[in-house]
Amino acid sequence: LSVSFFDQFMSTTYMGIPLIALALVFPSILYPTPTTRWLNNRLITLQSTFINRFTHQLLLPLNVGGHKWATMLASLMIFLISLNMLGLLPYTFTPTAQLSLNLGFAVPLWMATVIIGMRNQPNHALGHLLPEGTPNLLIPMLIIIETISLFIRPLALGVRLTANLTAGHLLIQLISTAAFVLLPLMPTVAIITSVVLVLLTLLEVAVAMIQAYVFVLLLTLYLQENI
């Protein structure tokens, strides 16, 4: 039974087509493409307003040089939210519950921020490895610790997103299984369990949005350190 709980995180295939590829392409179909007209429909207007407000909020801590990342960060945010939310639907596959996919997003973007810092201001970027006023005896140890913490950043980004989504999906499946089993035995307990399941599902919807925002927000903070 415990193995079947984790089957939902396996990349399955249907008629030879990997569902992870279908899940990655599907969000791009959901969003309408803005037109060049002065007036658009309500859906496009709402979508554009959300993207503009989010981009403005995201770029507040960034310098002007970091505004070049606006399109990529906003697209990544919408893409992650879409995958996280679609994964909560029944009979769906959640690509962002895979650590390999999340690291595929985290490592290149983190590496880009490090390369930008090393190229534009190497002294300032290397200065993060050693705080000012450090005693001489602690210098080698602090440099090692700060270097390790620097390389742990992309791993933390990927693991945080994967762990939150995996734990949420497992809890939903465990509680739904408990409610199904308890329904003929103890209907009152099953109803209470179902209410908890609904509340947990609402919490997972919030987690799906918050984790996507945290992922992109941390990337902007890493970018701000290097520009």
Side-chain angles (χ1 to χ4, degrees):
L1 184 61
S2 60
V3 177
S4 64
F5 286 153
F6 290 92
D7 286 346
Q8 60 179 314
F9 304 111
M10 296 176 61
S11 180
T12 56
T13 58
Y14 181 72
M15 297 180 62
I17 301 174
L19 293 185
I20 187 171
L22 183 63
L24 289 174
V25 173
F26 190 67
S28 62
I29 307 174
L30 296 178
Y31 296 96
T33 304
T35 63
T36 56
R37 299 178 181 178
W38 284 99
L39 295 177
N40 293 312
N41 58 33
R42 292 181 177 86
L43 182 58
I44 294 180
T45 302
L46 183 62
Q47 171 185 312
S48 302
T49 302
F50 169 75
I51 294 175
N52 291 336
R53 290 295 180 91
F54 164 73
T55 306
H56 175 73
Q57 185 69 28
L58 191 68
L59 299 181
L60 280 178
L62 289 179
N63 298 334
V64 178
H67 293 180
K68 302 174 184 177
W69 289 54
T71 303
M72 182 172 60
L73 292 177
S75 302
L76 178 62
M77 170 74 175
I78 296 173
F79 185 67
L80 290 178
I81 286 181
S82 303
L83 292 180
N84 295 348
M85 298 286 286
L86 290 173
L88 293 173
L89 297 175
Y91 302 102
T92 55
F93 177 74
T94 311
T96 45
Q98 305 292 317
L99 184 60
S100 57
L101 179 70
N102 295 333
L103 289 179
F105 284 128
V107 173
L109 293 173
W110 164 82
M111 183 62 70
T113 61
V114 174
I115 292 174
I116 287 175
M118 292 296 183
R119 187 187 64 179
N120 295 340
Q121 42 185 5
N123 293 334
H124 181 71
L126 293 175
H128 288 296
L129 302 179
L130 185 63
E132 187 177 357
T134 304
N136 294 332
L137 293 177
L138 296 179
I139 287 178
M141 185 181 300
L142 279 180
I143 290 178
I144 295 174
I145 293 174
E146 291 296 330
T147 304
I148 293 174
S149 66
L150 178 65
F151 283 94
I152 283 179
R153 285 180 175 183
L155 183 62
L157 280 176
V159 170
R160 181 187 295 106
L161 183 57
T162 303
N164 280 280
L165 295 180
T166 302
H169 283 67
L170 285 177
L171 279 175
I172 288 176
Q173 188 165 357
L174 285 169
I175 295 178
S176 60
T177 303
F180 181 77
V181 172
L182 291 173
L183 186 59
L185 302 177
M186 293 179 286
T188 305
V189 178
I191 293 174
I192 297 175
T193 307
S194 301
V195 173
V196 174
L197 178 62
V198 173
L199 297 177
L200 180 62
T201 304
L202 295 177
L203 177 63
E204 284 304 311
V205 172
V207 168
M209 294 185 288
I210 292 172
Q211 288 304 315
Y213 175 73
V214 169
F215 188 93
V216 179
L217 179 63
L218 289 176
L219 280 175
T220 58
L221 296 177
Y222 299 157
L223 180 63
Q224 175 61 26
E225 290 183 0
N226 293 283
I227 58 174

Short mmCIF file of all heavy atoms in Angstrom, two decimals, residues 138-172:
data_model
loop_
_atom_site.label_atom_id
_atom_site.label_comp_id
_atom_site.label_asym_id
_atom_site.label_seq_id
_atom_site.Cartn_x
_atom_site.Cartn_y
_atom_site.Cartn_z
N LEU A 138 39.68 32.47 12.02
CA LEU A 138 38.40 31.99 11.49
C LEU A 138 38.28 32.16 9.98
O LEU A 138 37.29 31.71 9.39
CB LEU A 138 37.24 32.72 12.17
CG LEU A 138 37.08 32.50 13.68
CD1 LEU A 138 35.92 33.31 14.21
CD2 LEU A 138 36.89 31.02 13.99
N ILE A 139 39.23 32.82 9.36
CA ILE A 139 39.11 33.11 7.92
C ILE A 139 38.99 31.83 7.09
O ILE A 139 38.07 31.71 6.26
CB ILE A 139 40.29 33.98 7.46
CG1 ILE A 139 40.12 35.40 7.99
CG2 ILE A 139 40.39 33.99 5.93
CD1 ILE A 139 41.26 36.33 7.62
N PRO A 140 39.88 30.82 7.23
CA PRO A 140 39.72 29.62 6.39
C PRO A 140 38.40 28.90 6.61
O PRO A 140 37.75 28.46 5.66
CB PRO A 140 40.92 28.75 6.82
CG PRO A 140 41.89 29.68 7.43
CD PRO A 140 41.08 30.75 8.09
N MET A 141 37.99 28.81 7.89
CA MET A 141 36.74 28.11 8.19
C MET A 141 35.54 28.84 7.60
O MET A 141 34.64 28.21 7.02
CB MET A 141 36.58 27.96 9.71
CG MET A 141 35.38 27.14 10.14
SD MET A 141 35.23 27.04 11.93
CE MET A 141 36.80 26.25 12.31
N LEU A 142 35.50 30.17 7.71
CA LEU A 142 34.36 30.93 7.20
C LEU A 142 34.29 30.87 5.68
O LEU A 142 33.19 30.81 5.11
CB LEU A 142 34.44 32.38 7.67
CG LEU A 142 33.95 32.65 9.09
CD1 LEU A 142 34.10 34.11 9.44
CD2 LEU A 142 32.51 32.22 9.26
N ILE A 143 35.45 30.90 5.03
CA ILE A 143 35.44 30.81 3.57
C ILE A 143 34.87 29.47 3.12
O ILE A 143 34.05 29.40 2.18
CB ILE A 143 36.87 31.00 3.02
CG1 ILE A 143 37.31 32.45 3.22
CG2 ILE A 143 36.93 30.64 1.54
CD1 ILE A 143 38.73 32.72 2.76
N ILE A 144 35.25 28.39 3.81
CA ILE A 144 34.71 27.07 3.46
C ILE A 144 33.21 27.01 3.71
O ILE A 144 32.43 26.52 2.88
CB ILE A 144 35.44 25.98 4.27
CG1 ILE A 144 36.91 25.91 3.86
CG2 ILE A 144 34.77 24.62 4.06
CD1 ILE A 144 37.74 24.97 4.70
N ILE A 145 32.77 27.53 4.85
CA ILE A 145 31.34 27.50 5.19
C ILE A 145 30.52 28.33 4.20
O ILE A 145 29.47 27.89 3.72
CB ILE A 145 31.13 28.00 6.63
CG1 ILE A 145 31.74 27.02 7.63
CG2 ILE A 145 29.64 28.19 6.93
CD1 ILE A 145 31.70 27.49 9.06
N GLU A 146 30.99 29.54 3.86
CA GLU A 146 30.25 30.39 2.93
C GLU A 146 30.24 29.80 1.52
O GLU A 146 29.25 29.95 0.79
CB GLU A 146 30.87 31.79 2.91
CG GLU A 146 30.67 32.58 4.19
CD GLU A 146 29.22 32.88 4.47
OE1 GLU A 146 28.44 33.00 3.49
OE2 GLU A 146 28.84 32.96 5.65
N THR A 147 31.33 29.13 1.14
CA THR A 147 31.35 28.49 -0.18
C THR A 147 30.35 27.34 -0.24
O THR A 147 29.63 27.18 -1.23
CB THR A 147 32.77 27.97 -0.49
OG1 THR A 147 33.70 29.05 -0.40
CG2 THR A 147 32.83 27.38 -1.88
N ILE A 148 30.30 26.56 0.83
CA ILE A 148 29.33 25.46 0.87
C ILE A 148 27.91 26.00 0.84
O ILE A 148 27.04 25.48 0.12
CB ILE A 148 29.56 24.60 2.13
CG1 ILE A 148 30.91 23.87 2.04
CG2 ILE A 148 28.43 23.58 2.31
CD1 ILE A 148 31.28 23.10 3.28
N SER A 149 27.65 27.07 1.61
CA SER A 149 26.30 27.65 1.61
C SER A 149 25.93 28.21 0.25
O SER A 149 24.76 28.18 -0.15
CB SER A 149 26.21 28.74 2.68
OG SER A 149 27.04 29.84 2.35
N LEU A 150 26.92 28.72 -0.49
CA LEU A 150 26.66 29.24 -1.83
C LEU A 150 26.23 28.13 -2.77
O LEU A 150 25.28 28.29 -3.55
CB LEU A 150 27.91 29.94 -2.36
CG LEU A 150 27.83 30.50 -3.79
CD1 LEU A 150 26.80 31.62 -3.87
CD2 LEU A 150 29.18 31.00 -4.25
N PHE A 151 26.91 26.98 -2.69
CA PHE A 151 26.58 25.87 -3.59
C PHE A 151 25.35 25.09 -3.14
O PHE A 151 24.81 24.30 -3.92
CB PHE A 151 27.79 24.93 -3.72
CG PHE A 151 28.87 25.45 -4.61
CD1 PHE A 151 29.95 26.16 -4.09
CD2 PHE A 151 28.81 25.26 -5.99
CE1 PHE A 151 30.95 26.65 -4.92
CE2 PHE A 151 29.80 25.74 -6.82
CZ PHE A 151 30.87 26.45 -6.29
N ILE A 152 24.92 25.28 -1.90
CA ILE A 152 23.72 24.60 -1.42
C ILE A 152 22.45 25.34 -1.89
O ILE A 152 21.37 24.76 -1.92
CB ILE A 152 23.76 24.50 0.12
CG1 ILE A 152 24.72 23.38 0.53
CG2 ILE A 152 22.39 24.24 0.73
CD1 ILE A 152 24.86 23.19 2.02
N ARG A 153 22.59 26.60 -2.28
CA ARG A 153 21.41 27.40 -2.66
C ARG A 153 20.55 26.73 -3.74
O ARG A 153 19.32 26.63 -3.56
CB ARG A 153 21.86 28.78 -3.12
CG ARG A 153 22.27 29.70 -1.98
CD ARG A 153 22.71 31.05 -2.51
NE ARG A 153 23.00 31.99 -1.44
CZ ARG A 153 23.35 33.25 -1.63
NH1 ARG A 153 23.49 33.71 -2.88
NH2 ARG A 153 23.58 34.05 -0.60
N PRO A 154 21.10 26.29 -4.87
CA PRO A 154 20.22 25.68 -5.88
C PRO A 154 19.59 24.39 -5.39
O PRO A 154 18.44 24.08 -5.73
CB PRO A 154 21.16 25.44 -7.07
CG PRO A 154 22.51 25.39 -6.49
CD PRO A 154 22.49 26.36 -5.34
N LEU A 155 20.35 23.62 -4.57
CA LEU A 155 19.79 22.39 -4.01
C LEU A 155 18.62 22.70 -3.09
O LEU A 155 17.59 22.01 -3.11
CB LEU A 155 20.88 21.63 -3.26
CG LEU A 155 20.48 20.27 -2.68
CD1 LEU A 155 20.07 19.32 -3.79
CD2 LEU A 155 21.62 19.68 -1.86
N ALA A 156 18.76 23.77 -2.29
CA ALA A 156 17.68 24.16 -1.38
C ALA A 156 16.45 24.61 -2.16
O ALA A 156 15.31 24.33 -1.77
CB ALA A 156 18.16 25.27 -0.46
N LEU A 157 16.66 25.33 -3.26
CA LEU A 157 15.54 25.77 -4.09
C LEU A 157 14.75 24.57 -4.61
O LEU A 157 13.52 24.52 -4.52
CB LEU A 157 16.05 26.61 -5.26
CG LEU A 157 16.39 28.07 -4.99
CD1 LEU A 157 16.97 28.70 -6.26
CD2 LEU A 157 15.17 28.84 -4.53
N GLY A 158 15.47 23.60 -5.19
CA GLY A 158 14.79 22.45 -5.76
C GLY A 158 14.15 21.55 -4.72
O GLY A 158 13.01 21.10 -4.89
N VAL A 159 14.87 21.30 -3.62
CA VAL A 159 14.35 20.40 -2.58
C VAL A 159 13.14 21.02 -1.88
O VAL A 159 12.18 20.32 -1.55
CB VAL A 159 15.46 20.06 -1.57
CG1 VAL A 159 14.89 19.34 -0.36
CG2 VAL A 159 16.54 19.21 -2.23
N ARG A 160 13.16 22.34 -1.65
CA ARG A 160 12.04 22.99 -0.97
C ARG A 160 10.75 22.81 -1.78
O ARG A 160 9.70 22.45 -1.24
CB ARG A 160 12.34 24.47 -0.78
CG ARG A 160 11.20 25.23 -0.06
CD ARG A 160 11.46 26.72 -0.02
NE ARG A 160 12.63 27.06 0.78
CZ ARG A 160 13.79 27.44 0.27
NH1 ARG A 160 13.96 27.54 -1.05
NH2 ARG A 160 14.81 27.73 1.05
N LEU A 161 10.82 23.08 -3.08
CA LEU A 161 9.63 22.96 -3.92
C LEU A 161 9.17 21.51 -4.01
O LEU A 161 7.97 21.22 -3.88
CB LEU A 161 9.94 23.52 -5.31
CG LEU A 161 8.79 23.55 -6.31
CD1 LEU A 161 7.62 24.35 -5.77
CD2 LEU A 161 9.27 24.13 -7.64
N THR A 162 10.12 20.60 -4.19
CA THR A 162 9.76 19.18 -4.30
C THR A 162 9.16 18.65 -3.01
O THR A 162 8.14 17.96 -3.02
CB THR A 162 11.01 18.35 -4.67
OG1 THR A 162 11.57 18.86 -5.88
CG2 THR A 162 10.66 16.89 -4.85
N ALA A 163 9.78 18.97 -1.88
CA ALA A 163 9.32 18.43 -0.59
C ALA A 163 7.93 18.93 -0.24
O ALA A 163 7.09 18.15 0.24
CB ALA A 163 10.32 18.80 0.50
N ASN A 164 7.66 20.20 -0.46
CA ASN A 164 6.35 20.75 -0.12
C ASN A 164 5.25 20.13 -0.96
O ASN A 164 4.17 19.77 -0.44
CB ASN A 164 6.35 22.26 -0.29
CG ASN A 164 6.98 22.98 0.89
OD1 ASN A 164 6.37 23.18 1.93
ND2 ASN A 164 8.25 23.37 0.73
N LEU A 165 5.48 19.99 -2.26
CA LEU A 165 4.45 19.41 -3.12
C LEU A 165 4.28 17.92 -2.86
O LEU A 165 3.15 17.41 -2.83
CB LEU A 165 4.81 19.65 -4.59
CG LEU A 165 4.83 21.12 -5.03
CD1 LEU A 165 5.20 21.22 -6.49
CD2 LEU A 165 3.49 21.77 -4.78
N THR A 166 5.38 17.21 -2.65
CA THR A 166 5.29 15.77 -2.38
C THR A 166 4.56 15.50 -1.06
O THR A 166 3.68 14.63 -1.00
CB THR A 166 6.70 15.16 -2.33
OG1 THR A 166 7.37 15.41 -3.56
CG2 THR A 166 6.62 13.66 -2.10
N ALA A 167 4.90 16.26 -0.03
CA ALA A 167 4.24 16.06 1.27
C ALA A 167 2.75 16.38 1.18
O ALA A 167 1.92 15.66 1.74
CB ALA A 167 4.90 16.96 2.32
N GLY A 168 2.41 17.43 0.46
CA GLY A 168 0.99 17.79 0.31
C GLY A 168 0.20 16.72 -0.42
O GLY A 168 -0.91 16.35 0.00
N HIS A 169 0.75 16.20 -1.50
CA HIS A 169 0.05 15.16 -2.26
C HIS A 169 -0.10 13.88 -1.43
O HIS A 169 -1.15 13.23 -1.48
CB HIS A 169 0.80 14.87 -3.56
CG HIS A 169 0.60 15.90 -4.62
ND1 HIS A 169 1.06 17.19 -4.51
CD2 HIS A 169 -0.02 15.82 -5.82
CE1 HIS A 169 0.73 17.87 -5.59
NE2 HIS A 169 0.07 17.06 -6.41
N LEU A 170 0.93 13.53 -0.69
CA LEU A 170 0.85 12.33 0.14
C LEU A 170 -0.20 12.49 1.25
O LEU A 170 -0.96 11.55 1.54
CB LEU A 170 2.21 12.02 0.75
CG LEU A 170 3.26 11.42 -0.19
CD1 LEU A 170 4.58 11.23 0.52
CD2 LEU A 170 2.77 10.10 -0.77
N LEU A 171 -0.25 13.66 1.87
CA LEU A 171 -1.25 13.88 2.92
C LEU A 171 -2.67 13.81 2.36
O LEU A 171 -3.57 13.23 2.99
CB LEU A 171 -1.01 15.25 3.57
CG LEU A 171 0.08 15.31 4.64
CD1 LEU A 171 0.28 16.75 5.11
CD2 LEU A 171 -0.28 14.42 5.82
N ILE A 172 -2.87 14.41 1.19
CA ILE A 172 -4.20 14.37 0.58
C ILE A 172 -4.60 12.92 0.28
O ILE A 172 -5.74 12.51 0.55
CB ILE A 172 -4.22 15.22 -0.71
CG1 ILE A 172 -4.16 16.70 -0.35
CG2 ILE A 172 -5.47 14.93 -1.53
CD1 ILE A 172 -4.08 17.62 -1.56
#
